[in-house]
Amino acid sequence: MAQDTTLLKLNFEYWLEKAIEWGQATTLESQKDVCLHLPQLQEFLHQVYETLKCVDSIVAIQQFPLIGQLLGRLCWNPFVIGYDESQKTLMWCLCCLYSSEPQNPVELKANSWIRSLLCHLLSSSKWESNEAETSTFISTLGYTSADYYSHLVKNVVFSLVTELRGNQFNGLNVQGRVSASRVNAVSLFCLPLITLPDLTPLLETLLLYHGGASKEILSSEFLEAVNEAFLKKKISLPESAIVSLWLRHLPSLEKAIVHLLDQLVSIQLNSLEEVAGVIKNSLLPQAASHPAIFRIVNEIFKNALLETNGTPEVMTIIQVFTQLFLQAYQNENKQHKFPLKAYFPYHHQPLVIALLRRPFELPATHWPQHLKHISDMLKALVEDTNISSLADLFEIWFLIARFGEWLDIAAEQLLKAAVEPDALLWLLAFYYSPRNENQQRTQTIVEAQAVYKHLMMLFSCTVLSVKDLETAVHSVTGIDQCCNQHLITHLLTNFLLFSSSGHMIAQEFIYHIAETTDTSKEICSLLIRTAYRINHNGEENQKTMKLLNELLQKLTLKV
């Protein structure tokens, strides 16, 4: 081995002299000499690579102090990098010299130099510069610059992908296994080229690569850069690769979730179809089929709710996300599906199962009974003496809140179906007043019951005025002074949507409520959710849908 190293050192001196003599092969004599020596040079470079891959970068530079000068000069010689596999071998040699954990300014500077060389080797702008000799060389091969560059990238990527994938199935053949440091170097090599379409197979292979190391072998810079490019829609990767990225790198997952929330809150969305489209394209609902990702999403959603004081927009986003997660979960292959307890480990499982039933899975005539079942289980849990802390209460409330579709249906069923109202009113009262300090929830239920009775008396009226409805509500309590105006607003809005007499005064009364109680966003969110459900279930006539569209068109201008 020592003899081989000595021989390599002598060869380094010889080839460095040659590289200096050739320069960038600008004269006919130097071009002829380069072509004459290319086969031997490629064989030498292959020997160098075989040696370098067995040692770390520090040892490599100590053994071969001239290596940087030699590789740097060869990388700028178009005849060298255009010959057979010389360019690929040069790249691998550079990757072996890259310090995955630089310890000093010298190593940092060396890393920067290596990255610039790698970028030069694969960047089309470099190949399409004004270097006449490079263009002449490429045209001599029968390629345009673009074709040459494209073939070059594809061949290098194919070679790297083949080696990495072959290593995955290498079993116990340890000698042939790609080292963790080299995989790390390849990930760093990708950094300046991540958005290049031809590099996509390599990105996917790296993200799905697991070499059996106890710690992450891909560089954090690579993982962050891929995530950033994906979020900005600069690259497209398979779902499996993105899920693997988020499982490998928690900061990337957190950034993706926050990015989604910021995106949805900052733009004016007029329908849940739009909200669902943006959420689905993020791949987060699909990725959440993995319990570890689901729990992180869950925690960030909780924090978002607490930080925004439960704004309707954030609540709606969470509810739509939950629906899309359930769709993805149900579409999962049964062999790879996790049990539901993996997602909701600390909750009362019968309640979770009841909430997970989608409304369209049941006949509409069964909805009241199903809602009563949910309400009874929830009430038993909340009134259990073991549920003493606010944290426990919040966990139960958040579980109910994320399945808000059932809450909206409960408010509708109170007005549309022959139901026993107490259980459904209690369910809604808990959602709007989860804490019962100073009997707040109890007072909310009393007020809601009184408003509900008045609304039911008006439900069959053929003619109704705004004054009639105001009188009915204010005879119980002023809507702006009631214990929970949100619940009363919810009931009133549904009355206007689902009673024939309510249609006539709906626009006037809803605008009045929105302005006097500052609940425009809340009402708008409720109307958007209702329109989405009607569109998907086809349960209402066109008259209601037309009214919803008119209300939304005018209300969104005010929000």
Side-chain angles (χ1 to χ4, degrees):
M1 180 67 184
Q3 190 175 358
D4 291 342
T5 304
T6 304
L7 185 60
L8 264 182
K9 286 180 180 178
L10 291 173
N11 284 337
F12 264 103
E13 294 174 6
Y14 170 76
W15 287 114
L16 180 57
E17 286 176 8
K18 277 292 180 187
I20 294 169
E21 181 186 322
W22 294 334
Q24 294 184 26
T26 56
T27 66
L28 183 60
E29 291 76 12
S30 63
Q31 290 171 5
K32 285 180 179 179
D33 195 45
V34 173
C35 292
L36 183 65
H37 288 84
L38 281 174
Q40 301 99 301
L41 174 61
Q42 180 170 273
E43 178 60 29
F44 166 73
L45 289 174
H46 184 71
Q47 291 173 6
V48 171
Y49 166 60
E50 289 298 321
T51 303
L52 291 180
K53 73 179 185 179
C54 299
V55 297
D56 64 34
S57 58
I58 297 173
V59 173
I61 293 170
Q62 286 173 347
Q63 287 186 353
F64 311 111
L66 300 177
I67 191 169
Q69 293 183 56
L70 176 62
L71 295 180
R73 289 179 179 276
L74 293 177
C75 284
W76 285 96
N77 189 313
F79 282 77
V80 171
I81 61 179
Y83 178 75
D84 199 22
E85 293 191 342
S86 293
Q87 191 205 27
K88 184 195 80 170
T89 310
L90 282 168
M91 286 190 214
W92 273 106
C93 288
L94 288 168
C95 286
C96 291
L97 293 176
Y98 199 100
S99 300
S100 56
E101 296 179 359
Q103 302 295 319
N104 54 60
V106 174
E107 290 182 14
L108 282 169
K109 190 173 181 180
N111 278 359
S112 177
W113 174 77
I114 291 169
R115 283 179 61 182
S116 68
L117 275 181
L118 291 170
C119 193
H120 154 68
L121 287 173
L122 283 178
S123 171
S124 59
S125 62
K126 296 290 184 183
W127 287 105
E128 293 170 359
S129 65
N130 293 323
E131 298 171 11
E133 57 278 2
T134 300
S135 299
T136 303
F137 168 72
I138 293 171
S139 62
T140 303
L141 297 175
Y143 288 108
T144 64
S145 290
D147 285 341
Y148 177 77
Y149 162 69
S150 178
H151 281 78
L152 208 57
V153 173
K154 286 175 183 174
N155 288 339
V156 172
V157 167
F158 177 77
S159 178
L160 294 174
V161 167
T162 301
E163 184 157 357
L164 288 170
R165 285 181 179 169
N167 183 64
Q168 288 279 70
F169 302 101
N170 209 21
L172 298 175
N173 183 10
V174 179
Q175 285 186 333
R177 192 172 286 174
V178 179
S179 69
S181 61
R182 281 185 51 227
V183 175
N184 179 278
V186 174
S187 69
L188 285 162
F189 145 74
C190 292
L191 276 174
L193 311 164
I194 276 173
T195 56
L196 204 65
D198 289 337
L199 209 71
T200 301
L202 181 55
L203 300 183
E204 181 185 352
T205 303
L206 284 168
L207 291 171
L208 296 173
Y209 183 89
H210 295 282
S214 58
K215 63 178 185 176
E216 181 55 63
I217 57 176
L218 300 179
S219 75
S220 58
E221 294 97 327
F222 167 77
L223 295 169
E224 287 167 8
V226 172
N227 191 58
E228 188 72 22
F230 172 73
L231 295 182
K232 291 180 177 178
K233 303 192 183 303
K234 291 183 177 181
I235 58 171
S236 177
L237 287 168
E239 182 184 316
S240 57
I242 294 300
V243 172
S244 181
L245 163 65
W246 289 336
L247 285 170
R248 303 178 84 128
H249 196 239
L250 179 59
S252 287
L253 172 60
E254 292 172 340
K255 187 168 185 177
I257 302 166
V258 173
H259 174 81
L260 175 64
L261 286 170
D262 289 343
Q263 186 182 4
L264 289 168
V265 171
S266 63
I267 57 179
Q268 178 69 56
L269 294 170
N270 300 319
S271 71
L272 277 205
E273 282 83 1
E274 289 180 70
V275 176
V278 173
I279 293 175
K280 200 166 186 177
N281 288 339
S282 74
L283 295 186
L284 281 165
Q286 301 90 311
S289 292
H290 195 292
I293 291 179
F294 179 86
R295 286 194 285 270
I296 298 297
V297 173
N298 213 34
E299 288 305 311
I300 292 178
F301 279 170
K302 285 180 195 174
N303 289 333
L305 268 181
L306 293 170
E307 288 173 11
T308 60
N309 201 24
T311 58
E313 303 99 307
V314 174
M315 196 68 256
T316 298
I317 290 166
I318 294 171
Q319 289 170 2
V320 175
F321 184 95
T322 302
Q323 292 176 26
L324 292 173
F325 156 73
L326 288 177
Q327 287 178 21
Y329 177 79
Q330 288 163 356
N331 292 334
E332 279 278 297
N333 187 313
K334 286 186 178 179
Q335 291 182 335
H336 302 110
K337 191 178 284 191
F338 290 91
L340 284 170
K341 195 171 177 64
Y343 304 96
F344 306 97
Y346 307 114
H347 290 292
H348 184 59
Q349 292 305 297
L351 177 59
V352 171
I353 292 168
L355 290 168
L356 286 170
R357 292 290 297 273
R358 302 296 306 280
F360 63 79
E361 295 174 9
L362 297 171
T365 52
H366 291 189
W367 288 351
Q369 186 58 38
H370 188 70
L371 285 162
K372 184 178 186 305
H373 180 52
I374 290 172
S375 180
D376 290 345
M377 283 191 289
L378 179 62
K379 190 173 183 181
L381 273 177
V382 171
E383 293 179 353
D384 188 331
T385 52
N386 292 326
I387 305 297
S388 54
S389 72
L390 287 177
D392 291 339
L393 193 62
F394 176 77
E395 288 296 330
I396 296 172
W397 175 85
F398 185 69
L399 177 68
I400 296 294
R402 68 183 309 154
F403 295 98
E405 191 174 18
W406 279 119
L407 296 167
D408 288 339
I409 290 174
E412 288 177 19
Q413 290 293 300
L414 282 167
L415 297 163
K416 290 166 55 181
V419 297
E420 295 179 13
D422 291 352
L424 272 59
L425 284 169
W426 190 94
L427 178 62
L428 290 167
F430 173 75
Y431 173 67
Y432 285 109
S433 296
R435 294 170 64 180
N436 200 24
E437 284 184 355
N438 303 318
Q439 298 297 304
Q440 187 177 356
R441 194 191 315 130
T442 304
Q443 180 61 26
T444 297
I445 294 172
V446 170
E447 290 175 1
Q449 286 173 333
V451 170
Y452 169 70
K453 286 176 183 175
H454 278 76
L455 292 178
M456 291 309 293
M457 285 189 286
L458 295 172
F459 199 82
S460 56
C461 291
T462 53
V463 179
L464 187 68
S465 68
V466 171
K467 189 174 181 182
D468 292 334
L469 193 54
E470 281 185 329
T471 302
V473 175
H474 287 292
S475 65
V476 179
T477 178
I479 190 169
D480 54 341
Q481 298 174 341
C482 66
C483 194
N484 197 301
Q485 69 179 41
H486 305 290
L487 173 52
I488 305 303
T489 299
H490 197 153
L491 293 174
L492 282 171
T493 304
N494 278 341
F495 172 83
L496 295 165
L497 290 174
F498 301 112
S499 66
S500 55
S501 55
H503 280 203
M504 295 181 289
I505 62 168
Q507 293 194 29
E508 185 181 350
F509 197 81
I510 283 179
Y511 298 155
H512 169 69
I513 296 174
E515 288 175 1
T516 57
T517 60
D518 193 28
T519 54
S520 295
K521 288 185 177 180
E522 184 180 335
I523 294 172
C524 197
S525 183
L526 173 59
L527 295 176
I528 287 173
R529 296 197 306 268
T530 305
Y532 181 75
R533 191 167 56 259
I534 290 175
N535 269 334
H536 282 258
N537 296 343
E539 63 192 64
E540 289 295 332
N541 58 38
Q542 291 301 311
K543 190 178 177 183
T544 302
M545 201 65 227
K546 183 183 176 186
L547 175 61
L548 276 165
N549 288 332
E550 289 172 356
L551 287 168
L552 280 170
Q553 200 169 15
K554 293 183 180 178
L555 266 181
T556 48
L557 296 174
K558 294 175 178 288
V559 173

